[in-house]
Amino acid sequence: MCGFVSILGKTDAVELKAMAAAVAARGPDGQGEFMSSDFSAIHHRLAIIGPDARGNQPMQIDDVVVVFNGCIYNYKVLREKLEADGVTFQSDSDTEVIPHLYRRFGLGVFNLLEGMFSIVLWDKREQICLVARDVFGEKPLFVCEQDGRLGFASSQNAFEKGKWSLTPNLNSVYQILTRMRAEAPQSMYEEVSQIPAGCYAIARAGQPLQIRRYFFLPEPDQPQDLTADEIKPEVKSMLVQSITAKTVSDKPLGVFLSGGVDSSLIAGVLKQDAGQDVHSFCVRFMDAPKDYDESVYAQQVADHLGTTHQTLEVNATAHQALDDLASAFDMPVTNSAALPTYLISREAKKHVDVALSGVGGDELFGGYPRYLGLKWHEKLQGLPARSMALKLLESLGDSASSRNLRGRLRRFLKGLNDNPADAYRRWTSTTDAAWSDMFVGMQLSQPKHAWQNMSQISSGLQGLMQQYGVVNGAMIDDVIHYVGDDLLAVGDRMSMANGLELRAPLLDAGLFSFMATLDDSWKVEGLPWQEKLKVLLKEITCDYLPREMVYRPKQGFMAPIKHWMKADFKDDIHAMIADKPLGGLVRESFVQEQWDRHQKGEDKSDILWGLLLMNRWMQQHGWRF
């Protein structure tokens, strides 16, 4: 796990080093640089595989210069094949397979790599630069095309330090406030883009970037040629293979264990199938309400599996959390899971250098009640007592618990007026306020590069629902955008801020393709209030844990933001309103309305937290309007 900057075109050591300072925290174990008149790069390394100096970057092999952030899980298999073909390796690092594969397979190299990665490859012989990002977007890769130069970086912040002209991207601000994240290829600046997940790009000096996709979704009617009895063992086999593959490391490794299905399955596979000693961690917030504490469940799982387990107690204050998270994000993500991820990464780094998390299990296997809600959406649109039930729920307000079942049901009933795609967006948005209600007299801008639209993997949520069905379509869209632009961005930024490599062993391209076309009855079933979720995954997990542990009520990985919003942030909200919210971008009346509704019992903690975090981020980056 590392950080890098590179420029195709003219630069100098002063500019490049200034940009590289913005990614230095991502690689505390070493630094290397390559300078030429055509291409230059600086790499900061977190050494996990082949950690000695022979694996340092930029790595030069056969007139190919590579900077790489991530891990190639199948590098040993690829290396053995290359060695059989006569290749001699200079290091034990997974990086070295990349230039050798490129020399043999050219642009097909990225289809051979199983892992999480962002790669910049400079072919001195052909004067061509290739960049690529992994299938799910686990590792960040930003690009700026300007004045005949192309810059690439592991952090958007790097471009703030170089000779680049940058304009705030208001589209991204709006997405962050309403959807908790800005979606690739957008960044916080109009001139900077993210290379989309599952894509590679071809660059030549003085020419526009050419984006091509190497990962595609399966056809909706893809036949699976398996009987019902064969589905579970097939998926279990894929899971075991994916989980064990992610343990390759020359440094100590642990598991983030919440006690939920996803992380418990990972720990179970490592103990029972791989026979590994497992060091597991969970985090407990001191002085937080009990329904934010999963440590008792994590301990039960750890005791059953026999892992070496630690409960990391943290005393996180609201204001310090706001400052730390705003500083750790180059692009803000307002998902409250960022705080526990940051804190558990900070504490776990004292014991391990690599950690595994259960990210992606909900989206691949059907872990959210909203998927079941979609299954019943059309059937319940004519529900005669809907209006009466909605009025009753609105009069009661939201529940104080972390699960907030009253709020969920109210949003579900409101969504019955919409088509499935619009209902799903309503359920997964922090607010349904229009642009004009939130912002002060500013217009949305259009993408600067045609490839920003052309490179997308799908035709949007509605198109996915039409092709794959409403439930599978929503889950696929969540993997692409919620997992890719939210959960993985949170995991990467929060772990990297603490020098920890975080991996998501449930994310596998083959498994994703298989689950995308599997009938949704394997994922969610039953009546809406029964919450029969992750049907197949829970049955697989029962091979490792007692059923009562597997089928306990779901609890999310959350920080006590709702609890803090009652008192800790009161003065911050009032100060933000008085000082022109978000540097004068957002209307004071909008913030006041959200705060008033929150005080009256409607849970507005998500949008209020988003406003506070975005406001603090803008202050740190000097944004004023």
Side-chain angles (χ1 to χ4, degrees), residues 287-523:
D287 302 323
K290 289 184 178 180
D291 57 348
Y292 289 89
D293 182 8
E294 294 184 303
S295 61
V296 62
Y297 303 115
Q299 189 65 59
Q300 289 173 0
V301 172
D303 290 343
H304 180 82
L305 295 175
T307 71
T308 301
H309 186 70
Q310 288 179 268
T311 298
L312 308 173
E313 292 194 353
V314 295
N315 185 10
T317 64
H319 294 91
Q320 188 60 51
L322 190 63
D323 286 335
D324 288 346
L325 298 192
S327 297
F329 278 122
D330 54 348
M331 286 184 61
V333 178
T334 63
N335 190 330
S336 63
L339 181 57
T341 305
Y342 179 87
L343 294 171
I344 195 172
S345 296
R346 185 183 68 188
E347 297 303 315
K349 175 61 179 179
K350 300 173 184 178
H351 308 278
V352 298
D353 294 290
V354 182
L356 308 182
S357 84
V359 167
D362 286 318
E363 296 76 16
L364 262 66
F365 291 93
Y368 298 128
R370 59 182 185 249
Y371 298 143
L372 190 56
L374 278 175
K375 198 163 186 172
W376 282 87
H377 179 267
E378 186 175 1
K379 300 175 184 177
L380 296 178
Q381 282 188 314
L383 191 67
R386 178 168 59 88
S387 297
M388 185 181 300
L390 187 55
K391 287 181 180 178
L392 175 63
L393 287 167
E394 288 181 331
S395 67
L396 291 174
D398 285 333
S399 167
S401 73
S402 61
R403 301 188 75 213
N404 188 19
L405 294 179
R406 289 202 299 266
R408 288 184 188 179
L409 183 55
R410 187 183 68 249
R411 287 193 295 273
F412 172 73
L413 292 174
K414 284 185 176 180
L416 293 179
N417 293 325
D418 303 320
N419 64 54
D422 289 341
Y424 196 71
R425 291 190 188 95
R426 178 193 292 272
W427 298 342
T428 55
S429 296
T430 62
T431 176
D432 55 6
W435 171 274
S436 58
D437 295 332
M438 296 175 62
F439 289 84
V440 179
M442 296 185 181
Q443 299 298 317
L444 289 168
S445 59
Q446 297 301 314
K448 289 185 175 294
H449 307 292
W451 64 260
Q452 291 182 324
N453 289 326
M454 295 167 56
S455 62
Q456 296 306 292
I457 193 172
S458 69
S459 54
L461 176 60
Q462 190 159 354
L464 287 171
M465 286 182 168
Q466 291 171 350
Q467 294 177 69
Y468 295 89
V470 293
V471 176
N472 278 346
M475 292 172 64
I476 293 169
D477 190 75
D478 276 350
V479 171
I480 296 168
H481 295 299
Y482 180 51
V483 172
D485 297 309
D486 187 318
L487 299 181
L488 290 176
V490 164
D492 176 80
R493 304 320 191 266
M494 297 303 103
S495 61
M496 283 286 88
N498 293 286
L500 180 78
E501 178 171 307
L502 190 61
R503 301 175 181 175
L506 300 184
L507 293 180
D508 174 81
L511 182 61
F512 175 34
S513 296
F514 184 92
M515 295 303 298
T517 58
L518 187 63
D519 189 88
D520 62 39
S521 62
W522 289 95
K523 304 163 189 177

Side-chain angles (χ1 to χ4, degrees), residues 159-230:
F159 295 102
E160 298 175 346
K161 310 298 182 183
K163 299 172 184 178
W164 311 89
S165 177
L166 304 178
T167 308
N169 187 339
L170 304 188
N171 292 350
S172 294
V173 178
Y174 182 66
Q175 281 192 7
I176 290 167
L177 292 179
T178 58
R179 305 284 295 163
M180 296 193 292
R181 78 273 180 179
E183 296 178 352
Q186 290 196 83
S187 81
M188 298 307 295
Y189 294 102
E190 292 184 6
E191 296 81 7
V192 179
S193 304
Q194 298 185 73
I195 298 295
C199 288
Y200 69 92
I202 305 172
R204 290 182 173 86
Q207 297 184 19
L209 199 66
Q210 300 176 47
I211 298 287
R212 299 178 183 176
R213 176 160 290 284
Y214 69 87
F215 174 78
F216 299 89
L217 291 171
E219 293 297 324
D221 55 356
Q222 178 74 29
Q224 296 190 327
D225 196 29
L226 292 172
T227 66
D229 291 337
E230 294 172 326

Side-chain angles (χ1 to χ4, degrees), residues 266-278 305-308 544:
I266 293 169
V269 167
L270 295 185
K271 283 293 293 184
Q272 297 185 22
D273 291 292
Q276 296 187 14
D277 293 329
V278 177
L305 295 175
T307 71
T308 301
Y544 301 90

Side-chain angles (χ1 to χ4, degrees), residues 29-314:
D29 295 334
Q31 175 189 328
E33 63 181 63
F34 174 86
M35 298 289 298
S36 75
S37 59
D38 303 305
F39 175 85
S40 301
I42 291 180
H43 184 274
H44 286 273
R45 187 183 184 199
L46 176 62
I48 301 297
I49 296 175
D52 60 63
R54 294 176 300 158
N56 288 348
Q57 300 178 47
M59 182 176 286
Q60 301 182 60
I61 303 289
D62 191 20
D63 286 333
V64 175
V65 180
V66 174
V67 286
F68 161 60
N69 169 29
C71 182
I72 307 302
Y73 301 126
N74 65 332
Y75 85 98
K76 289 184 178 180
V77 173
L78 295 172
R79 178 176 176 136
E80 288 174 1
K81 292 180 179 179
L82 288 166
E83 287 176 329
D85 196 30
V87 173
T88 300
F89 281 80
Q90 301 174 5
S91 75
D92 297 321
S93 171
D94 54 335
T95 305
E96 195 174 346
V97 301
I98 298 170
H100 288 301
L101 289 170
Y102 167 70
R103 277 293 178 232
R104 279 154 181 75
F105 300 101
L107 299 179
V109 58
F110 306 116
N111 293 98
L112 302 173
L113 304 178
E114 296 175 9
M116 54 178 183
F117 56 82
S118 58
I119 299 169
V120 176
L121 183 152
W122 170 240
D123 185 341
K124 293 190 286 184
R125 187 187 307 165
E126 300 296 331
Q127 292 288 289
I128 186 174
C129 186
L130 296 179
V131 300
R133 198 170 178 210
D134 64 75
V135 168
F136 297 98
E138 290 189 64
K139 296 295 102 187
L141 183 52
F142 294 90
V143 57
C144 185
E145 300 178 71
Q146 198 169 92
D147 298 329
R149 301 196 307 166
L150 277 166
F152 305 100
S154 299
S155 172
Q156 171 193 255
N157 293 348
F159 295 102
E160 298 175 346
K161 310 298 182 183
K163 299 172 184 178
W164 311 89
S165 177
L166 304 178
T167 308
N169 187 339
L170 304 188
N171 292 350
S172 294
V173 178
Y174 182 66
Q175 281 192 7
I176 290 167
L177 292 179
T178 58
R179 305 284 295 163
M180 296 193 292
R181 78 273 180 179
E183 296 178 352
Q186 290 196 83
S187 81
M188 298 307 295
Y189 294 102
E190 292 184 6
E191 296 81 7
V192 179
S193 304
Q194 298 185 73
I195 298 295
C199 288
Y200 69 92
I202 305 172
R204 290 182 173 86
Q207 297 184 19
L209 199 66
Q210 300 176 47
I211 298 287
R212 299 178 183 176
R213 176 160 290 284
Y214 69 87
F215 174 78
F216 299 89
L217 291 171
E219 293 297 324
D221 55 356
Q222 178 74 29
Q224 296 190 327
D225 196 29
L226 292 172
T227 66
D229 291 337
E230 294 172 326
I231 295 290
K232 177 185 171 181
E234 177 67 17
V235 173
K236 180 180 177 180
S237 175
M238 295 173 75
L239 279 165
V240 170
Q241 183 177 353
S242 179
I243 291 168
T244 53
K246 271 64 167 188
T247 62
V248 57
S249 174
D250 292 326
K251 293 288 187 72
L253 178 145
V255 177
F256 287 175
L257 181 62
S258 68
V261 172
D262 305 326
S263 60
S264 298
L265 174 63
I266 293 169
V269 167
L270 295 185
K271 283 293 293 184
Q272 297 185 22
D273 291 292
Q276 296 187 14
D277 293 329
V278 177
H279 197 162
S280 58
F281 305 89
C282 73
V283 65
R284 177 168 61 206
F285 290 94
M286 297 172 63
D287 302 323
K290 289 184 178 180
D291 57 348
Y292 289 89
D293 182 8
E294 294 184 303
S295 61
V296 62
Y297 303 115
Q299 189 65 59
Q300 289 173 0
V301 172
D303 290 343
H304 180 82
L305 295 175
T307 71
T308 301
H309 186 70
Q310 288 179 268
T311 298
L312 308 173
E313 292 194 353
V314 295

